[in-house]
């Protein structure tokens, strides 16, 4: 089944800088990927999903790049602001073994300082 | 927007006691999931379900049972709670291979 690795575990940037989070995956058959944001004490909020036939997707200051050759997915927060401070997770579905489920990366704690 | 409601939001239980965490979704989603979240581990799948009457083991099912009596409800049951089950639990739902929607989580402390 799918395995997902995420880095870095912690990321600190200044307001206005960009922040990049990277996930690598193992299953080349994965159909789509998702990024989630979790603010302190809250649940997971879906930020963006991309299908595997998409190389790049941009929405509201977020850019997701998918490099299928290297099996790498990245989330770029352009011009980060303090409200972006949260834990970010990538996720990919796994269809092998015990069935259809989502596999999450271990998360990146992003701190955006004014 | 799809909504997933968990109850209770916070729970303190004694070791050896029985705990039931409830999840309700009115989105008519087939698939429902229970995850736990611990520092250093991210989210790990405990049990999931394809629909009413179905429960499947996830990656860390030991010590947990699940029940899906209806399309809307999916419960996680700890028959004999242990301190190692202190965690934050998230329920989620989705239909087929689409976006997953999460509840706000249940913080469980076993003392």
């Amino acid at each position: 089944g799918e395995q997902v690795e995420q880095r870095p575990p912690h990321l600190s940037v200044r307001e206005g800088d960009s922040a990049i989070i990277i996930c690598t995956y193992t299953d080349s058959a994965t159909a789509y990927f998702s990024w989630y944001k979790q603010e302190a004490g809250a649940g997971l909020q879906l930020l963006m999903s991309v299908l595997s036939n998409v190389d790049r997707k941009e929405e509201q200051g977020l850019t997701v790049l998918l490099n299928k050759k290297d099996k790498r997915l990245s989330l770029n927060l352009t011009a980060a602001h303090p409200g972006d401070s949260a834990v970010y997770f990538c996720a990919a579905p796994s269809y092998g073994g015990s069935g259809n489920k989502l596999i999450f990366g271990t998360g990146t704690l992003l701190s955006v300082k004014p | 927007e799809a909504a997933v409601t968990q109850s209770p939001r916070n729970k303190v239980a004694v070791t050896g006691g029985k705990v039931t965490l409830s999840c309700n979704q009115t989105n008519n989603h087939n698939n429902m999931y229970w995850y736990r979240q611990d520092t250093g581990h991210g989210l790990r799948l405990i049990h999931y379900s394809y629909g009413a009457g179905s429960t499947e083991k996830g990656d860390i099912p030991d010590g947990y049972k699940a029940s899906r009596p209806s399309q809307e409800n999916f419960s996680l049951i700890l028959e004999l709670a242990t301190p190692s089950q202190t965690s934050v639990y998230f329920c989620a739902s989705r239909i087929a291979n689409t976006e997953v929607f999460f509840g706000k989580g249940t913080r469980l402390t076993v003392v």
Side-chain angles (χ1 to χ4, degrees):
Chain A
E2 178 73 273
Q3 295 182 43
V4 177
E5 293 190 0
Q6 183 173 345
R7 66 178 194 274
H10 301 92
L11 181 58
S12 181
V13 301
R14 290 284 180 189
E15 184 172 8
D17 290 347
S18 65
I20 299 175
I21 303 169
I22 294 173
C23 285
T24 56
Y25 59 96
T26 57
D27 189 351
S28 58
T30 299
Y32 73 94
F33 302 87
S34 301
W35 285 99
Y36 289 84
K37 175 184 180 181
Q38 185 181 33
E39 296 178 338
L44 279 77
Q45 171 195 356
L46 178 66
L47 289 177
M48 199 185 306
S49 290
V50 293
L51 297 175
S52 60
N53 61 354
V54 172
D55 295 331
R56 180 187 182 101
K57 186 174 181 179
E58 295 184 43
E59 281 183 7
Q60 298 179 330
L62 302 174
T63 301
V64 173
L65 299 176
L66 178 59
N67 182 325
K68 291 183 281 295
K69 174 177 173 294
D70 294 339
K71 298 181 185 175
R72 187 174 67 238
L73 175 76
S74 66
L75 174 68
N76 186 350
L77 291 80
T78 55
H81 56 85
D84 292 328
S85 296
V87 180
Y88 292 80
F89 294 93
C90 61
S94 175
Y95 302 103
S98 51
N100 185 0
K101 58 186 181 181
L102 267 190
I103 305 298
F104 285 84
T106 50
T108 296
L109 174 60
L110 173 64
S111 298
V112 183
K113 294 179 169 49
Chain B
E1 182 173 300
V4 178
T5 304
Q6 292 183 231
S7 63
R9 295 294 315 281
N10 291 280
K11 173 77 176 177
V12 179
V14 295
T15 298
K18 181 177 180 178
V19 177
T20 300
L21 306 184
S22 300
C23 180
N24 174 272
Q25 54 94 6
T26 55
N27 313 304
N28 201 31
H29 287 173
N30 298 330
N31 301 316
M32 296 187 74
Y33 307 84
W34 275 107
Y35 289 88
R36 64 177 283 176
Q37 184 178 28
D38 304 285
T39 303
H41 290 281
L43 282 88
R44 293 180 291 174
L45 182 64
I46 306 170
H47 283 290
Y48 61 104
S49 169
Y50 293 122
S54 135
T55 61
E56 307 290 335
K57 292 181 179 180
D59 297 319
I60 53 165
D62 293 346
Y64 302 93
K65 292 183 180 178
S67 174
R68 184 87 183 269
S70 64
Q71 181 84 334
E72 296 81 17
N73 296 296
F74 189 40
S75 298
L76 186 69
I77 303 154
L78 291 69
E79 294 280 4
L80 295 169
T82 67
S84 65
Q85 294 175 311
T86 293
S87 186
V88 180
Y89 292 84
F90 287 97
C91 176
S93 75
R94 69 170 169 166
I95 185 165
N97 296 328
T98 60
E99 300 171 9
V100 178
F101 294 90
F102 282 85
K104 294 184 178 180
T106 295
R107 184 173 297 275
L108 174 66
T109 303
V110 182
V111 298

